[in-house]
Amino acid sequence: MWRWLFAVAALFNFAVGGVMLAAPWRVAPHLSVTGPGGSYIVAMTGSYIAVFGLGYAIAAAAPIKNRGIIWMGAVSKLAAAALWSIQFGAQVIEFRVFVIGMIDVVFAALFGLFLRRSRHVTHMHAH
């Protein structure tokens, strides 16, 4: 189950990051990122999202061994959800964009569940 979770998280991040990289000028208005640097900001953010996807793909191959990546992912997804919430509350982004961002809460909760359930696994099992 855990390997599938991290593989799905990787695919999600690749898809979101890929769209942001492939068409930042189309994504920017939906995020209320305007001005001459808007496409750059969206593309740069997309590259970071895709890189986290690579981390989740690595974690999918060996979840116990890569718990550190999963910790980083859980924290980053909670931070992203908080930022999405702030932006939605300030009426900067639309509800449909907010809902997509809230998928990060689901992933963060599942990552946390994995981290909690695997906390007593010894490092001997990681190799």
Side-chain angles (χ1 to χ4, degrees):
M1 173 192 155
W2 299 118
R3 289 176 190 251
W4 281 104
L5 169 64
F6 302 122
V8 168
L11 291 173
F12 178 77
N13 274 55
F14 289 147
V16 171
V19 167
M20 293 172 80
L21 280 165
W25 64 91
R26 294 192 73 191
V27 175
H30 297 287
L31 301 176
S32 295
V33 179
T34 59
S39 290
Y40 167 76
I41 296 297
V42 170
M44 182 59 73
T45 303
S47 71
Y48 292 141
I49 291 169
V51 167
F52 267 91
L54 177 60
Y56 304 144
I58 292 168
I64 298 297
K65 182 178 177 182
N66 293 294
R67 287 184 85 233
I69 292 172
I70 298 163
W71 267 107
M72 287 176 51
V75 170
S76 74
K77 288 194 173 293
L78 286 175
L83 292 170
W84 285 113
S85 297
I86 291 166
Q87 296 297 352
F88 178 68
Q91 299 179 338
V92 173
I93 59 172
E94 299 174 10
F95 181 73
R96 63 187 173 87
V97 175
F98 171 73
V99 169
I100 293 168
M102 290 299 98
I103 293 171
D104 282 337
V105 173
V106 175
F107 279 122
L110 292 170
F111 286 13
L113 184 62
F114 166 79
L115 291 166
R116 182 164 188 208
R117 289 189 177 171
S118 67
R119 73 184 181 276
H120 295 299
V121 176
T122 67
H123 291 290
M124 299 277 297
H125 292 108
H127 300 285

PDB file of all heavy atoms in Angstrom, residues 22-57:
ATOM      1  N   ALA A  22       5.181  23.489 -18.378  1.00  0.00           N
ATOM      2  CA  ALA A  22       4.858  23.482 -19.805  1.00  0.00           C
ATOM      3  C   ALA A  22       4.077  24.722 -20.250  1.00  0.00           C
ATOM      4  O   ALA A  22       4.237  25.182 -21.381  1.00  0.00           O
ATOM      5  CB  ALA A  22       4.065  22.219 -20.165  1.00  0.00           C
ATOM      6  N   ALA A  23       3.235  25.244 -19.376  1.00  0.00           N
ATOM      7  CA  ALA A  23       2.385  26.379 -19.765  1.00  0.00           C
ATOM      8  C   ALA A  23       2.220  27.367 -18.604  1.00  0.00           C
ATOM      9  O   ALA A  23       1.102  27.638 -18.166  1.00  0.00           O
ATOM     10  CB  ALA A  23       1.034  25.872 -20.240  1.00  0.00           C
ATOM     11  N   PRO A  24       3.316  27.922 -18.122  1.00  0.00           N
ATOM     12  CA  PRO A  24       3.209  28.823 -16.959  1.00  0.00           C
ATOM     13  C   PRO A  24       2.344  30.053 -17.221  1.00  0.00           C
ATOM     14  O   PRO A  24       1.663  30.538 -16.308  1.00  0.00           O
ATOM     15  CB  PRO A  24       4.659  29.204 -16.665  1.00  0.00           C
ATOM     16  CG  PRO A  24       5.395  28.972 -17.935  1.00  0.00           C
ATOM     17  CD  PRO A  24       4.685  27.815 -18.601  1.00  0.00           C
ATOM     18  N   TRP A  25       2.326  30.541 -18.440  1.00  0.00           N
ATOM     19  CA  TRP A  25       1.518  31.717 -18.778  1.00  0.00           C
ATOM     20  C   TRP A  25       0.023  31.431 -18.675  1.00  0.00           C
ATOM     21  O   TRP A  25      -0.765  32.337 -18.469  1.00  0.00           O
ATOM     22  CB  TRP A  25       1.877  32.231 -20.175  1.00  0.00           C
ATOM     23  CG  TRP A  25       1.559  31.229 -21.250  1.00  0.00           C
ATOM     24  CD1 TRP A  25       0.386  31.130 -21.955  1.00  0.00           C
ATOM     25  CD2 TRP A  25       2.376  30.162 -21.705  1.00  0.00           C
ATOM     26  NE1 TRP A  25       0.424  30.053 -22.821  1.00  0.00           N
ATOM     27  CE2 TRP A  25       1.651  29.447 -22.695  1.00  0.00           C
ATOM     28  CE3 TRP A  25       3.659  29.717 -21.390  1.00  0.00           C
ATOM     29  CZ2 TRP A  25       2.169  28.331 -23.344  1.00  0.00           C
ATOM     30  CZ3 TRP A  25       4.167  28.609 -22.053  1.00  0.00           C
ATOM     31  CH2 TRP A  25       3.425  27.935 -23.018  1.00  0.00           C
ATOM     32  N   ARG A  26      -0.368  30.143 -18.817  1.00  0.00           N
ATOM     33  CA  ARG A  26      -1.780  29.767 -18.686  1.00  0.00           C
ATOM     34  C   ARG A  26      -2.153  29.519 -17.224  1.00  0.00           C
ATOM     35  O   ARG A  26      -3.298  29.728 -16.832  1.00  0.00           O
ATOM     36  CB  ARG A  26      -2.075  28.525 -19.516  1.00  0.00           C
ATOM     37  CG  ARG A  26      -1.921  28.821 -21.019  1.00  0.00           C
ATOM     38  CD  ARG A  26      -2.473  27.751 -21.861  1.00  0.00           C
ATOM     39  NE  ARG A  26      -3.941  27.814 -21.781  1.00  0.00           N
ATOM     40  CZ  ARG A  26      -4.732  26.879 -22.247  1.00  0.00           C
ATOM     41  NH1 ARG A  26      -4.223  25.815 -22.818  1.00  0.00           N
ATOM     42  NH2 ARG A  26      -6.033  26.990 -22.147  1.00  0.00           N
ATOM     43  N   VAL A  27      -1.193  29.055 -16.443  1.00  0.00           N
ATOM     44  CA  VAL A  27      -1.454  28.749 -15.036  1.00  0.00           C
ATOM     45  C   VAL A  27      -1.430  30.022 -14.187  1.00  0.00           C
ATOM     46  O   VAL A  27      -2.228  30.163 -13.258  1.00  0.00           O
ATOM     47  CB  VAL A  27      -0.413  27.727 -14.507  1.00  0.00           C
ATOM     48  CG1 VAL A  27      -0.597  27.482 -13.020  1.00  0.00           C
ATOM     49  CG2 VAL A  27      -0.501  26.419 -15.290  1.00  0.00           C
ATOM     50  N   ALA A  28      -0.554  30.940 -14.506  1.00  0.00           N
ATOM     51  CA  ALA A  28      -0.354  32.148 -13.692  1.00  0.00           C
ATOM     52  C   ALA A  28      -1.644  32.901 -13.363  1.00  0.00           C
ATOM     53  O   ALA A  28      -1.861  33.241 -12.196  1.00  0.00           O
ATOM     54  CB  ALA A  28       0.672  33.068 -14.361  1.00  0.00           C
ATOM     55  N   PRO A  29      -2.520  33.147 -14.337  1.00  0.00           N
ATOM     56  CA  PRO A  29      -3.740  33.889 -14.000  1.00  0.00           C
ATOM     57  C   PRO A  29      -4.641  33.165 -12.991  1.00  0.00           C
ATOM     58  O   PRO A  29      -5.303  33.806 -12.175  1.00  0.00           O
ATOM     59  CB  PRO A  29      -4.465  34.041 -15.340  1.00  0.00           C
ATOM     60  CG  PRO A  29      -3.439  33.807 -16.380  1.00  0.00           C
ATOM     61  CD  PRO A  29      -2.420  32.900 -15.778  1.00  0.00           C
ATOM     62  N   HIS A  30      -4.632  31.823 -13.011  1.00  0.00           N
ATOM     63  CA  HIS A  30      -5.455  31.056 -12.074  1.00  0.00           C
ATOM     64  C   HIS A  30      -4.924  31.152 -10.648  1.00  0.00           C
ATOM     65  O   HIS A  30      -5.648  30.905  -9.686  1.00  0.00           O
ATOM     66  CB  HIS A  30      -5.549  29.594 -12.503  1.00  0.00           C
ATOM     67  CG  HIS A  30      -6.220  29.415 -13.822  1.00  0.00           C
ATOM     68  ND1 HIS A  30      -7.573  29.562 -14.000  1.00  0.00           N
ATOM     69  CD2 HIS A  30      -5.712  29.129 -15.051  1.00  0.00           C
ATOM     70  CE1 HIS A  30      -7.885  29.357 -15.264  1.00  0.00           C
ATOM     71  NE2 HIS A  30      -6.767  29.101 -15.927  1.00  0.00           N
ATOM     72  N   LEU A  31      -3.650  31.489 -10.543  1.00  0.00           N
ATOM     73  CA  LEU A  31      -3.027  31.644  -9.228  1.00  0.00           C
ATOM     74  C   LEU A  31      -2.903  33.112  -8.842  1.00  0.00           C
ATOM     75  O   LEU A  31      -2.291  33.433  -7.825  1.00  0.00           O
ATOM     76  CB  LEU A  31      -1.642  30.983  -9.228  1.00  0.00           C
ATOM     77  CG  LEU A  31      -1.619  29.489  -9.556  1.00  0.00           C
ATOM     78  CD1 LEU A  31      -0.184  28.983  -9.623  1.00  0.00           C
ATOM     79  CD2 LEU A  31      -2.422  28.704  -8.537  1.00  0.00           C
ATOM     80  N   SER A  32      -3.444  33.981  -9.681  1.00  0.00           N
ATOM     81  CA  SER A  32      -3.355  35.437  -9.495  1.00  0.00           C
ATOM     82  C   SER A  32      -1.906  35.909  -9.437  1.00  0.00           C
ATOM     83  O   SER A  32      -1.570  36.832  -8.705  1.00  0.00           O
ATOM     84  CB  SER A  32      -4.116  35.880  -8.243  1.00  0.00           C
ATOM     85  OG  SER A  32      -5.490  35.635  -8.411  1.00  0.00           O
ATOM     86  N   VAL A  33      -1.065  35.253 -10.219  1.00  0.00           N
ATOM     87  CA  VAL A  33       0.331  35.659 -10.340  1.00  0.00           C
ATOM     88  C   VAL A  33       0.419  36.508 -11.602  1.00  0.00           C
ATOM     89  O   VAL A  33       0.278  36.001 -12.714  1.00  0.00           O
ATOM     90  CB  VAL A  33       1.282  34.442 -10.420  1.00  0.00           C
ATOM     91  CG1 VAL A  33       2.722  34.888 -10.558  1.00  0.00           C
ATOM     92  CG2 VAL A  33       1.098  33.552  -9.199  1.00  0.00           C
ATOM     93  N   THR A  34       0.615  37.783 -11.424  1.00  0.00           N
ATOM     94  CA  THR A  34       0.581  38.707 -12.548  1.00  0.00           C
ATOM     95  C   THR A  34       1.918  39.428 -12.691  1.00  0.00           C
ATOM     96  O   THR A  34       2.800  39.310 -11.847  1.00  0.00           O
ATOM     97  CB  THR A  34      -0.542  39.749 -12.353  1.00  0.00           C
ATOM     98  OG1 THR A  34      -0.303  40.458 -11.135  1.00  0.00           O
ATOM     99  CG2 THR A  34      -1.905  39.084 -12.291  1.00  0.00           C
ATOM    100  N   GLY A  35       2.025  40.164 -13.759  1.00  0.00           N
ATOM    101  CA  GLY A  35       3.230  40.943 -14.013  1.00  0.00           C
ATOM    102  C   GLY A  35       4.202  40.207 -14.900  1.00  0.00           C
ATOM    103  O   GLY A  35       4.006  39.032 -15.230  1.00  0.00           O
ATOM    104  N   PRO A  36       5.268  40.888 -15.277  1.00  0.00           N
ATOM    105  CA  PRO A  36       6.218  40.298 -16.221  1.00  0.00           C
ATOM    106  C   PRO A  36       6.938  39.057 -15.691  1.00  0.00           C
ATOM    107  O   PRO A  36       7.367  38.220 -16.461  1.00  0.00           O
ATOM    108  CB  PRO A  36       7.205  41.425 -16.503  1.00  0.00           C
ATOM    109  CG  PRO A  36       6.995  42.443 -15.439  1.00  0.00           C
ATOM    110  CD  PRO A  36       5.609  42.253 -14.911  1.00  0.00           C
ATOM    111  N   GLY A  37       7.039  38.901 -14.385  1.00  0.00           N
ATOM    112  CA  GLY A  37       7.712  37.728 -13.821  1.00  0.00           C
ATOM    113  C   GLY A  37       6.776  36.592 -13.476  1.00  0.00           C
ATOM    114  O   GLY A  37       7.218  35.556 -12.968  1.00  0.00           O
ATOM    115  N   GLY A  38       5.491  36.746 -13.758  1.00  0.00           N
ATOM    116  CA  GLY A  38       4.512  35.742 -13.375  1.00  0.00           C
ATOM    117  C   GLY A  38       4.794  34.353 -13.924  1.00  0.00           C
ATOM    118  O   GLY A  38       4.766  33.371 -13.187  1.00  0.00           O
ATOM    119  N   SER A  39       5.096  34.273 -15.200  1.00  0.00           N
ATOM    120  CA  SER A  39       5.379  32.965 -15.807  1.00  0.00           C
ATOM    121  C   SER A  39       6.631  32.332 -15.206  1.00  0.00           C
ATOM    122  O   SER A  39       6.677  31.113 -14.989  1.00  0.00           O
ATOM    123  CB  SER A  39       5.547  33.104 -17.321  1.00  0.00           C
ATOM    124  OG  SER A  39       4.305  33.390 -17.907  1.00  0.00           O
ATOM    125  N   TYR A  40       7.618  33.146 -14.922  1.00  0.00           N
ATOM    126  CA  TYR A  40       8.846  32.632 -14.307  1.00  0.00           C
ATOM    127  C   TYR A  40       8.549  32.042 -12.927  1.00  0.00           C
ATOM    128  O   TYR A  40       9.004  30.938 -12.610  1.00  0.00           O
ATOM    129  CB  TYR A  40       9.896  33.742 -14.188  1.00  0.00           C
ATOM    130  CG  TYR A  40      11.049  33.358 -13.296  1.00  0.00           C
ATOM    131  CD1 TYR A  40      12.033  32.488 -13.740  1.00  0.00           C
ATOM    132  CD2 TYR A  40      11.128  33.840 -11.995  1.00  0.00           C
ATOM    133  CE1 TYR A  40      13.073  32.115 -12.915  1.00  0.00           C
ATOM    134  CE2 TYR A  40      12.166  33.473 -11.162  1.00  0.00           C
ATOM    135  CZ  TYR A  40      13.137  32.615 -11.622  1.00  0.00           C
ATOM    136  OH  TYR A  40      14.159  32.239 -10.796  1.00  0.00           O
ATOM    137  N   ILE A  41       7.793  32.771 -12.123  1.00  0.00           N
ATOM    138  CA  ILE A  41       7.466  32.304 -10.767  1.00  0.00           C
ATOM    139  C   ILE A  41       6.704  30.984 -10.827  1.00  0.00           C
ATOM    140  O   ILE A  41       6.995  30.045 -10.078  1.00  0.00           O
ATOM    141  CB  ILE A  41       6.642  33.371 -10.004  1.00  0.00           C
ATOM    142  CG1 ILE A  41       7.453  34.638  -9.793  1.00  0.00           C
ATOM    143  CG2 ILE A  41       6.089  32.817  -8.691  1.00  0.00           C
ATOM    144  CD1 ILE A  41       8.680  34.462  -8.927  1.00  0.00           C
ATOM    145  N   VAL A  42       5.743  30.902 -11.730  1.00  0.00           N
ATOM    146  CA  VAL A  42       4.956  29.672 -11.859  1.00  0.00           C
ATOM    147  C   VAL A  42       5.839  28.520 -12.347  1.00  0.00           C
ATOM    148  O   VAL A  42       5.775  27.404 -11.813  1.00  0.00           O
ATOM    149  CB  VAL A  42       3.747  29.879 -12.796  1.00  0.00           C
ATOM    150  CG1 VAL A  42       3.065  28.557 -13.139  1.00  0.00           C
ATOM    151  CG2 VAL A  42       2.752  30.837 -12.148  1.00  0.00           C
ATOM    152  N   ALA A  43       6.686  28.764 -13.336  1.00  0.00           N
ATOM    153  CA  ALA A  43       7.571  27.710 -13.846  1.00  0.00           C
ATOM    154  C   ALA A  43       8.559  27.257 -12.777  1.00  0.00           C
ATOM    155  O   ALA A  43       8.815  26.050 -12.620  1.00  0.00           O
ATOM    156  CB  ALA A  43       8.307  28.195 -15.094  1.00  0.00           C
ATOM    157  N   MET A  44       9.112  28.185 -12.030  1.00  0.00           N
ATOM    158  CA  MET A  44      10.071  27.829 -10.977  1.00  0.00           C
ATOM    159  C   MET A  44       9.369  26.990  -9.901  1.00  0.00           C
ATOM    160  O   MET A  44       9.899  25.969  -9.453  1.00  0.00           O
ATOM    161  CB  MET A  44      10.670  29.091 -10.363  1.00  0.00           C
ATOM    162  CG  MET A  44      11.707  28.815  -9.298  1.00  0.00           C
ATOM    163  SD  MET A  44      13.124  27.842  -9.862  1.00  0.00           S
ATOM    164  CE  MET A  44      13.973  29.060 -10.832  1.00  0.00           C
ATOM    165  N   THR A  45       8.183  27.407  -9.509  1.00  0.00           N
ATOM    166  CA  THR A  45       7.421  26.637  -8.527  1.00  0.00           C
ATOM    167  C   THR A  45       7.104  25.247  -9.071  1.00  0.00           C
ATOM    168  O   THR A  45       7.218  24.243  -8.357  1.00  0.00           O
ATOM    169  CB  THR A  45       6.130  27.388  -8.146  1.00  0.00           C
ATOM    170  OG1 THR A  45       6.488  28.675  -7.645  1.00  0.00           O
ATOM    171  CG2 THR A  45       5.336  26.625  -7.103  1.00  0.00           C
ATOM    172  N   GLY A  46       6.731  25.177 -10.350  1.00  0.00           N
ATOM    173  CA  GLY A  46       6.465  23.889 -10.980  1.00  0.00           C
ATOM    174  C   GLY A  46       7.677  22.978 -10.968  1.00  0.00           C
ATOM    175  O   GLY A  46       7.548  21.767 -10.769  1.00  0.00           O
ATOM    176  N   SER A  47       8.857  23.557 -11.153  1.00  0.00           N
ATOM    177  CA  SER A  47      10.070  22.731 -11.133  1.00  0.00           C
ATOM    178  C   SER A  47      10.290  22.147  -9.743  1.00  0.00           C
ATOM    179  O   SER A  47      10.669  20.985  -9.608  1.00  0.00           O
ATOM    180  CB  SER A  47      11.295  23.524 -11.602  1.00  0.00           C
ATOM    181  OG  SER A  47      11.688  24.484 -10.644  1.00  0.00           O
ATOM    182  N   TYR A  48      10.027  22.935  -8.694  1.00  0.00           N
ATOM    183  CA  TYR A  48      10.174  22.419  -7.330  1.00  0.00           C
ATOM    184  C   TYR A  48       9.147  21.321  -7.038  1.00  0.00           C
ATOM    185  O   TYR A  48       9.470  20.318  -6.396  1.00  0.00           O
ATOM    186  CB  TYR A  48      10.038  23.534  -6.300  1.00  0.00           C
ATOM    187  CG  TYR A  48      11.165  24.534  -6.328  1.00  0.00           C
ATOM    188  CD1 TYR A  48      10.918  25.879  -6.143  1.00  0.00           C
ATOM    189  CD2 TYR A  48      12.478  24.143  -6.551  1.00  0.00           C
ATOM    190  CE1 TYR A  48      11.946  26.813  -6.167  1.00  0.00           C
ATOM    191  CE2 TYR A  48      13.513  25.062  -6.584  1.00  0.00           C
ATOM    192  CZ  TYR A  48      13.251  26.394  -6.382  1.00  0.00           C
ATOM    193  OH  TYR A  48      14.265  27.302  -6.413  1.00  0.00           O
ATOM    194  N   ILE A  49       7.937  21.519  -7.503  1.00  0.00           N
ATOM    195  CA  ILE A  49       6.901  20.510  -7.303  1.00  0.00           C
ATOM    196  C   ILE A  49       7.296  19.209  -8.005  1.00  0.00           C
ATOM    197  O   ILE A  49       7.163  18.114  -7.438  1.00  0.00           O
ATOM    198  CB  ILE A  49       5.537  21.032  -7.797  1.00  0.00           C
ATOM    199  CG1 ILE A  49       5.053  22.151  -6.871  1.00  0.00           C
ATOM    200  CG2 ILE A  49       4.500  19.902  -7.891  1.00  0.00           C
ATOM    201  CD1 ILE A  49       3.856  22.926  -7.397  1.00  0.00           C
ATOM    202  N   ALA A  50       7.816  19.313  -9.219  1.00  0.00           N
ATOM    203  CA  ALA A  50       8.246  18.122  -9.952  1.00  0.00           C
ATOM    204  C   ALA A  50       9.420  17.437  -9.258  1.00  0.00           C
ATOM    205  O   ALA A  50       9.480  16.201  -9.211  1.00  0.00           O
ATOM    206  CB  ALA A  50       8.610  18.495 -11.386  1.00  0.00           C
ATOM    207  N   VAL A  51      10.340  18.204  -8.695  1.00  0.00           N
ATOM    208  CA  VAL A  51      11.479  17.614  -7.979  1.00  0.00           C
ATOM    209  C   VAL A  51      10.991  16.843  -6.751  1.00  0.00           C
ATOM    210  O   VAL A  51      11.498  15.755  -6.458  1.00  0.00           O
ATOM    211  CB  VAL A  51      12.519  18.691  -7.592  1.00  0.00           C
ATOM    212  CG1 VAL A  51      13.526  18.155  -6.594  1.00  0.00           C
ATOM    213  CG2 VAL A  51      13.232  19.197  -8.842  1.00  0.00           C
ATOM    214  N   PHE A  52      10.000  17.385  -6.043  1.00  0.00           N
ATOM    215  CA  PHE A  52       9.418  16.620  -4.934  1.00  0.00           C
ATOM    216  C   PHE A  52       8.799  15.339  -5.467  1.00  0.00           C
ATOM    217  O   PHE A  52       8.843  14.301  -4.797  1.00  0.00           O
ATOM    218  CB  PHE A  52       8.389  17.457  -4.168  1.00  0.00           C
ATOM    219  CG  PHE A  52       8.980  18.184  -2.991  1.00  0.00           C
ATOM    220  CD1 PHE A  52       9.481  19.465  -3.142  1.00  0.00           C
ATOM    221  CD2 PHE A  52       9.048  17.595  -1.747  1.00  0.00           C
ATOM    222  CE1 PHE A  52      10.028  20.150  -2.074  1.00  0.00           C
ATOM    223  CE2 PHE A  52       9.598  18.259  -0.663  1.00  0.00           C
ATOM    224  CZ  PHE A  52      10.089  19.551  -0.820  1.00  0.00           C
ATOM    225  N   GLY A  53       8.228  15.378  -6.664  1.00  0.00           N
ATOM    226  CA  GLY A  53       7.698  14.167  -7.278  1.00  0.00           C
ATOM    227  C   GLY A  53       8.785  13.119  -7.460  1.00  0.00           C
ATOM    228  O   GLY A  53       8.558  11.927  -7.223  1.00  0.00           O
ATOM    229  N   LEU A  54       9.963  13.557  -7.857  1.00  0.00           N
ATOM    230  CA  LEU A  54      11.099  12.638  -7.975  1.00  0.00           C
ATOM    231  C   LEU A  54      11.404  12.014  -6.611  1.00  0.00           C
ATOM    232  O   LEU A  54      11.658  10.811  -6.511  1.00  0.00           O
ATOM    233  CB  LEU A  54      12.319  13.373  -8.533  1.00  0.00           C
ATOM    234  CG  LEU A  54      13.597  12.567  -8.649  1.00  0.00           C
ATOM    235  CD1 LEU A  54      13.423  11.372  -9.574  1.00  0.00           C
ATOM    236  CD2 LEU A  54      14.724  13.465  -9.141  1.00  0.00           C
ATOM    237  N   GLY A  55      11.364  12.841  -5.568  1.00  0.00           N
ATOM    238  CA  GLY A  55      11.586  12.314  -4.215  1.00  0.00           C
ATOM    239  C   GLY A  55      10.558  11.261  -3.844  1.00  0.00           C
ATOM    240  O   GLY A  55      10.899  10.217  -3.267  1.00  0.00           O
ATOM    241  N   TYR A  56       9.299  11.503  -4.180  1.00  0.00           N
ATOM    242  CA  TYR A  56       8.255  10.523  -3.859  1.00  0.00           C
ATOM    243  C   TYR A  56       8.444   9.236  -4.664  1.00  0.00           C
ATOM    244  O   TYR A  56       8.153   8.142  -4.167  1.00  0.00           O
ATOM    245  CB  TYR A  56       6.856  11.095  -4.089  1.00  0.00           C
ATOM    246  CG  TYR A  56       6.602  12.366  -3.318  1.00  0.00           C
ATOM    247  CD1 TYR A  56       5.839  13.388  -3.868  1.00  0.00           C
ATOM    248  CD2 TYR A  56       7.142  12.567  -2.048  1.00  0.00           C
ATOM    249  CE1 TYR A  56       5.612  14.567  -3.166  1.00  0.00           C
ATOM    250  CE2 TYR A  56       6.922  13.735  -1.360  1.00  0.00           C
ATOM    251  CZ  TYR A  56       6.163  14.734  -1.926  1.00  0.00           C
ATOM    252  OH  TYR A  56       5.947  15.898  -1.235  1.00  0.00           O
ATOM    253  N   ALA A  57       8.937   9.355  -5.891  1.00  0.00           N
ATOM    254  CA  ALA A  57       9.227   8.163  -6.690  1.00  0.00           C
ATOM    255  C   ALA A  57      10.349   7.352  -6.039  1.00  0.00           C
ATOM    256  O   ALA A  57      10.284   6.117  -5.991  1.00  0.00           O
ATOM    257  CB  ALA A  57       9.597   8.559  -8.120  1.00  0.00           C
TER     258      ALA A  57
END
